Amino acid sequence: MWYKLNAQKLILQAWVSFLRKPVIGSFLSLVSDEITDLNNIFNISRTANITKITHNSQVCKLRKILNDTFDDQRRITIVDGVLKKPVYIYTDAEQKPEWLGELIIYTSEETEGNGIDFTVIIPGELKNYQIEIKALVDFYKLAGKRYKIEVDETI
């Protein structure tokens, strides 16, 4: 490919043949090392940019990029937010029925009003990487989606 460059070979081939002496060849080798370093930086940046543009905010792609980056055992999971209808208790002035029937009490995170669309569950070993995980999720998630990161010590 055009971006894979063998700088030492290219420079020596482009140099005039009667000037290819050992001293000049070693100097050109030093110059080619710098060009090779720049080419390696370019290739690393190119690979990172291709990774960024091939992944998007789909759950499977987000989970893949998180596991590829942080966990070789692929234990990071993404769970949809639990959206339950909130149950209201009415006052006497509202003239609504006071009988609630069988009632399950949910936390504010579990009801519709909390705004959490998904939860990223990470193993306990990665709890020190929460800032990096948050930055990566922020880069790939859709605008307007809210999430939280939970640490699961059991996995």
Side-chain angles (χ1 to χ4, degrees):
M1 293 297 188
W2 64 269
Y3 54 87
K4 293 184 180 178
L5 180 67
N6 186 351
Q8 185 174 9
K9 181 179 174 184
L10 183 66
I11 288 175
L12 286 175
Q13 286 178 349
W15 198 252
V16 181
S17 63
F18 66 88
L19 291 177
R20 293 182 189 163
K21 307 273 190 228
V23 175
I24 294 175
S26 62
F27 173 72
L28 292 177
S29 180
L30 286 174
V31 172
S32 69
D33 286 344
E34 295 299 320
I35 295 172
T36 302
D37 290 344
L38 287 174
N39 188 38
N40 289 338
I41 291 170
F42 169 76
N43 285 331
I44 290 169
S45 176
R46 181 181 182 277
T47 304
N49 288 334
I50 287 174
T51 301
K52 283 182 181 179
I53 63 172
T54 56
H55 291 82
N56 56 23
S57 62
Q58 291 177 338
V59 173
C60 59
K61 302 268 181 136
L62 184 58
R63 188 178 63 232
K64 178 187 182 306
I65 195 71
L66 285 170
N67 281 316
D68 287 347
T69 306
F70 296 106
D71 191 20
D72 292 335
Q73 298 175 8
R74 315 208 60 82
R75 296 173 293 175
I76 297 175
T77 58
I78 298 175
V79 179
D80 287 336
V82 180
L83 302 177
K84 308 285 187 204
K85 294 274 185 201
V87 177
Y88 298 101
I89 299 174
Y90 299 103
T91 62
D92 291 333
E94 293 174 306
Q95 297 180 353
K96 300 280 184 168
E98 294 177 9
W99 184 76
L100 298 174
E102 186 175 327
L103 181 65
I104 300 173
I105 299 175
Y106 297 106
T107 62
S108 62
E109 288 93 22
E110 293 174 329
T111 59
E112 288 179 342
N114 68 353
I116 293 176
D117 297 311
F118 64 94
T119 304
V120 179
I121 301 172
I122 61 173
E125 299 169 1
L126 298 176
K127 65 182 172 186
N128 295 333
Y129 295 100
Q130 286 187 18
I131 295 172
E132 290 88 351
I133 291 172
K134 181 179 180 341
L136 195 62
V137 172
D138 285 342
F139 180 81
Y140 286 107
K141 75 175 180 67
L142 287 176
K145 296 289 184 180
R146 291 193 273 178
Y147 67 95
K148 68 178 178 178
I149 297 174
E150 282 186 5
V151 178
D152 189 1
E153 297 291 339
T154 60
I155 55 173

